[in-house]
Amino acid sequence: YQVQFNIHIDNYSGYMAGTQNFSGNLPSTYRYFAQYCDGPKASFFNVAQAALPVMRSAADLNLREIGAMCNIMYCFSALELSDVYGPFPWTDYKNDVQEPPVTYEPMDQIYDSLFVNLKDAGKILKEFTSTSEEHQDTINQILAQYDKICGDVKTWEQFSNSIRLRMAMRMSNVNPDRAKTEAQSAIDDGLIEKSIEYNTMVNNGTNHPLAFISILWNDTRINASLENIMKRLKVPFMDKIFEKNSDAIRDENGETTWQAQQDIVGVRTGIQLTPRDDNNQYTKFSGVTSAFANFPLAIFKLSERYFLQAEAALRWNIGGSVNTNYLRGVAAMFDDYDIAQTEPDFQTYWNQESADTSIDYVDPHNSRNNTKGLVTVGVKINNSDDNKVKLEKIITQKWLALFPLSTEGWAEQRRTGYPRFFPAFVNESNGAVNTEEGVRRVIYSSQAYDANAKGVEGGIKLLDQENSSKFGISGDKGGTHLWWDNADKGNF
């Protein structure tokens, strides 16, 4: 989890930030240590090694539904992989090609194949109820024993459709006509009615991995962007996720500026990091609570389904009304923290016309990191709001609801520009990342170059063909835009 998400993507998403320099490998969160960039791909291979053999043998074993479910998880992981790196060897990986060279493919073609695979899997699951009673009993018994996330065939089908809606909205700026068609199709086929999640305490006796990294290792803390947005919007469940500072915080002169347990405080992206020792003040900043350790590991949240529909309604007037879906999304987010829609906390939050712009970010250790807050929009959508304001409200609430799903939160922020993040305090990317734009992708790892340099070169050429020439940064760099990250078109 640390090398798949936390050490880079959690930071780029605005959710979390590192506290230490990892023996000099990460002197700043804008510097790269290429060996750490292999985490997302390594996790994808873990999924592939489990899923591919089942996908290949399922039909012969008369277990087509189980094969379809593994196909869905494979596609879910492959989508995540592509949205992190860009082009990758989709066909060769799916054919389990072990030895190089493997051929990188462009993202639009990967998306095309993902749509086909997810629709095929959904069709198999939709036909499940028309199979024999004996077959249905067999499948249901397997799910009762092994299924840790969905629980039944219908939910797997809805999960597949919901991934398709996620993909459709992702491509809404680069191919809006296709995006609308795919979004309508996914909505028509039926979306999730509950969150897809893995309860770590029930299933393997461990706590949430983010809590492990935060509480036991002191390696991660709330990001300053998340802290300021939550405070400006007066998020009532903030203290259910994050602790106040664990100890007194000293400034650079050794003077105490904050007492222990004074407030929730985040770490700004791009600051200089030091070793994790007694002199490191950022380990005292706000980590996650012990209660968060018992939260399930989210995979696809119900709130995301409604926010996706709200945006589809805003763009194309499909999938229901903007306001109804938006309300359901915010309500589902609050439900994750056991706050009902009828409670005063929800009503007060929901009726905010604007953010509290008097609240800015303060770093009690180094005042040079202090900065003005950026989010000004409130929660309530008004009929008088133009589409850009409505979208900013939808995506800001969606981003809050997605926590800690950093791959998705980061992708949505890159796609839309919302919510508004603090720029890096010090950009140590040596020109590889635009300070105002932030990191747009994870670079290919040193392991990828070692194993398949020619293939990686092909992937880099595809990156440059897809988008990078428009934005001034090209090649295998963190500032290179992906295919769907087409900011020059705007959101409307």
Side-chain angles (χ1 to χ4, degrees), residues 300-415:
F300 198 115
K301 292 190 177 186
L302 180 62
S303 55
E304 182 187 348
R305 169 242 163 118
Y306 289 122
F307 287 123
L308 288 167
Q309 277 186 266
E311 185 181 350
L314 179 66
R315 289 184 182 278
W316 306 303
N317 195 28
I318 62 174
S321 77
V322 174
N323 288 356
T324 298
N325 283 306
Y326 179 62
L327 172 61
R328 287 173 176 169
V330 177
M333 170 173 65
F334 271 68
D335 191 54
D336 286 341
Y337 301 98
D338 298 320
I339 301 174
Q341 189 175 335
T342 54
E343 292 184 37
D345 275 350
F346 179 91
Q347 296 299 323
T348 300
Y349 183 82
W350 174 254
N351 286 308
Q352 289 182 97
E353 294 280 358
S354 61
D356 185 346
T357 56
S358 69
I359 300 173
D360 298 316
Y361 172 67
V362 174
D363 181 338
H365 172 59
N366 186 343
S367 61
R368 291 192 300 273
N369 298 329
N370 296 356
T371 188
K372 294 284 293 180
L374 298 174
V375 171
T376 60
V377 297
V379 179
K380 186 177 181 180
I381 286 184
N382 300 303
N383 291 333
S384 58
D385 292 338
D386 66 24
N387 281 352
K388 287 185 178 180
V389 172
K390 288 179 180 178
L391 182 67
E392 182 169 4
K393 290 178 178 179
I394 290 168
I395 299 298
T396 299
Q397 294 305 310
K398 179 182 183 181
W399 178 81
L400 287 168
L402 283 167
F403 179 85
L405 291 175
S406 55
T407 49
E408 193 58 27
W410 181 37
E412 290 299 82
Q413 202 279 337
R414 287 178 286 164
R415 175 176 71 89

Side-chain angles (χ1 to χ4, degrees), residues 224-480:
S225 289
L226 178 57
E227 179 224 310
N228 186 252
I229 292 170
M230 281 187 147
K231 286 182 177 178
R232 282 195 159 201
L233 291 174
K234 305 189 187 310
V235 173
F237 50 78
M238 187 177 186
D239 60 358
K240 292 191 176 188
I241 307 174
F242 297 107
E243 301 277 7
K244 294 180 180 179
N245 57 301
S246 61
D247 203 347
I249 297 173
R250 303 188 302 272
D251 64 16
E252 292 183 305
N253 298 319
E255 300 293 327
T256 298
T257 55
W258 278 28
Q259 299 300 321
Q261 298 295 309
Q262 183 166 325
D263 200 356
I264 294 172
V265 58
V267 178
R268 189 170 172 187
T269 293
I271 64 169
Q272 297 293 317
L273 298 175
T274 60
R276 185 184 58 191
D277 56 27
D278 292 340
N279 294 317
N280 187 318
Q281 298 301 297
Y282 291 109
T283 61
K284 303 174 183 178
F285 282 41
S286 297
V288 301
T289 62
S290 56
F292 183 83
N294 299 322
F295 275 46
L297 191 70
I299 296 172
F300 198 115
K301 292 190 177 186
L302 180 62
S303 55
E304 182 187 348
R305 169 242 163 118
Y306 289 122
F307 287 123
L308 288 167
Q309 277 186 266
E311 185 181 350
L314 179 66
R315 289 184 182 278
W316 306 303
N317 195 28
I318 62 174
S321 77
V322 174
N323 288 356
T324 298
N325 283 306
Y326 179 62
L327 172 61
R328 287 173 176 169
V330 177
M333 170 173 65
F334 271 68
D335 191 54
D336 286 341
Y337 301 98
D338 298 320
I339 301 174
Q341 189 175 335
T342 54
E343 292 184 37
D345 275 350
F346 179 91
Q347 296 299 323
T348 300
Y349 183 82
W350 174 254
N351 286 308
Q352 289 182 97
E353 294 280 358
S354 61
D356 185 346
T357 56
S358 69
I359 300 173
D360 298 316
Y361 172 67
V362 174
D363 181 338
H365 172 59
N366 186 343
S367 61
R368 291 192 300 273
N369 298 329
N370 296 356
T371 188
K372 294 284 293 180
L374 298 174
V375 171
T376 60
V377 297
V379 179
K380 186 177 181 180
I381 286 184
N382 300 303
N383 291 333
S384 58
D385 292 338
D386 66 24
N387 281 352
K388 287 185 178 180
V389 172
K390 288 179 180 178
L391 182 67
E392 182 169 4
K393 290 178 178 179
I394 290 168
I395 299 298
T396 299
Q397 294 305 310
K398 179 182 183 181
W399 178 81
L400 287 168
L402 283 167
F403 179 85
L405 291 175
S406 55
T407 49
E408 193 58 27
W410 181 37
E412 290 299 82
Q413 202 279 337
R414 287 178 286 164
R415 175 176 71 89
T416 64
Y418 306 130
R420 302 175 191 272
F421 289 171
F422 295 136
F425 178 68
V426 177
N427 185 344
E428 292 202 357
S429 70
N430 296 320
V433 177
N434 179 292
T435 300
E436 295 301 319
E437 286 192 336
V439 179
R440 314 310 290 184
R441 59 180 290 273
V442 172
I443 60 174
Y444 295 124
S445 69
S446 55
Q447 293 92 329
Y449 279 95
D450 292 342
N452 183 34
K454 186 175 181 180
V456 174
E457 288 174 10
I460 295 169
K461 288 180 181 178
L462 293 172
L463 267 174
D464 291 346
Q465 291 169 10
E466 287 177 348
N467 237 352
S468 58
S469 60
K470 301 177 185 177
F471 300 102
I473 296 176
S474 60
D476 186 18
K477 297 175 184 174
T480 300

Side-chain angles (χ1 to χ4, degrees), residues 40-147:
K41 188 176 79 169
S43 180
F44 166 77
F45 281 141
N46 285 339
V47 174
Q49 288 164 8
L52 287 173
V54 183
M55 291 158 60
R56 294 194 186 101
S57 59
D60 291 340
L61 297 171
N62 195 27
L63 299 172
R64 293 171 69 242
E65 292 83 3
I66 306 300
M69 294 167 193
C70 285
N71 195 2
I72 292 166
M73 283 311 302
Y74 184 85
C75 289
F76 177 90
S77 190
L79 173 64
E80 190 172 75
L81 187 75
S82 189
D83 287 345
V84 166
Y85 294 110
F88 78 95
W90 158 260
T91 302
D92 282 344
Y93 283 173
K94 196 163 190 213
N95 291 331
D96 206 16
V97 176
Q98 297 287 339
E99 298 297 326
V102 292
T103 302
Y104 283 61
E105 297 174 53
M107 285 187 74
D108 60 339
Q109 292 183 22
I110 294 171
Y111 265 59
D112 285 345
S113 295
L114 287 168
F115 277 123
V116 169
N117 277 261
L118 288 166
K119 289 173 185 176
D120 287 348
K123 184 173 183 292
I124 290 170
L125 299 176
K126 188 173 185 177
E127 295 169 350
F128 173 69
T129 54
S130 61
T131 62
S132 69
E133 188 174 337
E134 180 184 10
H135 178 74
Q136 292 183 46
D137 287 344
T138 298
I139 298 298
N140 288 330
Q141 287 170 12
I142 292 171
L143 296 186
Q145 184 174 357
Y146 294 109
D147 185 2

